[in-house]
Amino acid sequence: MEQWMHQIEQWVRQQPVEQLYAALAVLIVTLAFFGILRLLKPSKSTTIVLAGLSGSGKTTLFFQLRDGSPHQGTIASMDPNEGTFVLHSELEKKGKLKPVHLIDVPGHSRLRPKLDEFLPHAAGLIFVVDSLDFLPNCRAAAEYLYDILTKASIVKRKMPILIVCNKTDKVTAHSKEFIRKQLEKEIDKLRTSRNVISSADIANEYTLGVPGEAFTFSQCRNKVTIAEASGLTGEVSQVKQFIRDHVEP
């Protein structure tokens, strides 16, 4: 090693000073160029937002993903539940895993504007639906989902959305296909009744679907998929898969 270093030192001394300065300048410029590129390159978002009506089970899902427990008896907060963590089911996995920044936005209508604070930085959105008590809340869920699907922060970035039919462990829970069809029907009605204008900021809105055709989620500019889960029993595999599809480990 010493001999090798000695040879390099001799070679450097034999080179013209101007040539050494030129080489050093090229090296500095190259390192600076790649450093600037790295700074300018936007980092991938690790944020996933949980949204849905009050009582749909968002907070239970949040705790299940974070702690592996539904935390029964926890009182839902009027403020978002927020945390950055490795999914509980991945804690024993080997290798480096990227933490997820998960935000559970309160479902009360007065608190929904908080959603707009998080969407511009989110990698995806999970919309939670109560599949057990779905029919009485179908219209309200469709209205909330309509507002989300027409937001500029969703459409422009083609943000992926997962509609999670929660509480499917119950015998009387509706299937995800039934819920999908009912939501599509309600959103189709909303397109007419609202004249493609929702209660959100009109300047940020986009139209849904194809004129003259019944609305389906497949017509959305962003990808919308539907899954089943049970935050209470811990069956959240499809939710975890969605998260890892958009927040790489």
Side-chain angles (χ1 to χ4, degrees), residues 145-158:
L145 190 54
Y146 179 98
D147 288 342
I148 289 173
L149 290 172
T150 53
K151 287 182 181 293
S153 53
I154 294 284
V155 180
K156 284 184 177 180
R157 299 174 60 230
K158 294 185 178 180

Side-chain angles (χ1 to χ4, degrees), residues 125-168:
L125 182 140
I126 298 172
F127 188 84
V128 185
V129 175
D130 183 345
S131 62
L132 186 63
D133 199 24
F134 172 69
L135 286 178
N137 298 301
C138 179
R139 178 74 176 187
E143 288 176 343
Y144 191 7
L145 190 54
Y146 179 98
D147 288 342
I148 289 173
L149 290 172
T150 53
K151 287 182 181 293
S153 53
I154 294 284
V155 180
K156 284 184 177 180
R157 299 174 60 230
K158 294 185 178 180
M159 186 184 299
I161 293 178
L162 178 71
I163 300 174
V164 175
C165 305
N166 194 23
K167 307 180 184 180
T168 54

Side-chain angles (χ1 to χ4, degrees), residues 11-26:
W11 180 84
V12 170
R13 288 179 177 177
Q14 293 171 0
Q15 305 308 310
V17 176
E18 295 81 2
Q19 186 173 334
L20 290 176
Y21 282 141
L24 182 61
V26 170

Side-chain angles (χ1 to χ4, degrees), residues 44-49 99-103 118 121-125 247:
K44 291 185 178 180
S45 172
T46 62
T47 299
I48 298 292
V49 177
V100 177
H101 183 207
L102 193 63
I103 303 172
F118 308 114
H121 313 291
L125 182 140
V247 179

Side-chain angles (χ1 to χ4, degrees), residues 166-184:
N166 194 23
K167 307 180 184 180
T168 54
D169 56 298
K170 305 299 182 182
V171 177
T172 55
H174 294 286
S175 69
K176 67 178 184 180
E177 281 305 309
F178 176 82
I179 290 173
R180 177 185 63 79
K181 290 177 181 179
Q182 293 303 312
L183 287 174
E184 287 175 340

Side-chain angles (χ1 to χ4, degrees), residues 51-235:
L53 300 179
S54 296
S56 59
K58 301 184 306 300
T59 303
T60 301
L61 279 175
F62 177 91
F63 287 127
Q64 191 66 252
L65 292 166
R66 191 189 71 177
D67 305 325
S69 168
H71 285 238
Q72 294 185 58
T74 300
I75 299 174
S77 173
M78 295 298 280
D79 294 315
N81 285 307
E82 186 173 356
T84 302
F85 49 85
V86 173
L87 298 177
H88 184 269
S89 60
E90 298 176 341
L91 289 176
E92 296 181 0
K93 287 187 177 180
K94 295 181 180 180
K96 188 177 181 180
L97 293 169
K98 183 178 290 187
V100 177
H101 183 207
L102 193 63
I103 303 172
D104 164 25
V105 180
H108 194 283
S109 57
R110 289 182 300 175
L111 301 174
R112 289 177 195 169
K114 287 181 177 288
L115 187 64
D116 293 324
E117 298 176 18
F118 308 114
L119 288 181
H121 313 291
L125 182 140
I126 298 172
F127 188 84
V128 185
V129 175
D130 183 345
S131 62
L132 186 63
D133 199 24
F134 172 69
L135 286 178
N137 298 301
C138 179
R139 178 74 176 187
E143 288 176 343
Y144 191 7
L145 190 54
Y146 179 98
D147 288 342
I148 289 173
L149 290 172
T150 53
K151 287 182 181 293
S153 53
I154 294 284
V155 180
K156 284 184 177 180
R157 299 174 60 230
K158 294 185 178 180
M159 186 184 299
I161 293 178
L162 178 71
I163 300 174
V164 175
C165 305
N166 194 23
K167 307 180 184 180
T168 54
D169 56 298
K170 305 299 182 182
V171 177
T172 55
H174 294 286
S175 69
K176 67 178 184 180
E177 281 305 309
F178 176 82
I179 290 173
R180 177 185 63 79
K181 290 177 181 179
Q182 293 303 312
L183 287 174
E184 287 175 340
K185 287 180 182 178
E186 287 298 326
I187 290 175
D188 195 44
K189 293 176 185 177
L190 286 168
R191 289 196 303 168
T192 303
S193 62
R194 292 190 181 190
N195 293 319
V196 201
I197 297 177
S198 79
S199 58
D201 184 359
I202 297 172
N204 291 335
E205 295 264 317
Y206 284 76
T207 58
L208 278 181
V210 178
E213 295 183 16
F215 172 77
T216 63
F217 288 118
S218 62
Q219 297 167 351
C220 293
R221 303 184 193 187
N222 53 315
K223 186 176 181 181
V224 179
T225 51
I226 301 185
E228 295 179 332
S230 172
L232 193 62
T233 65
E235 177 43 60

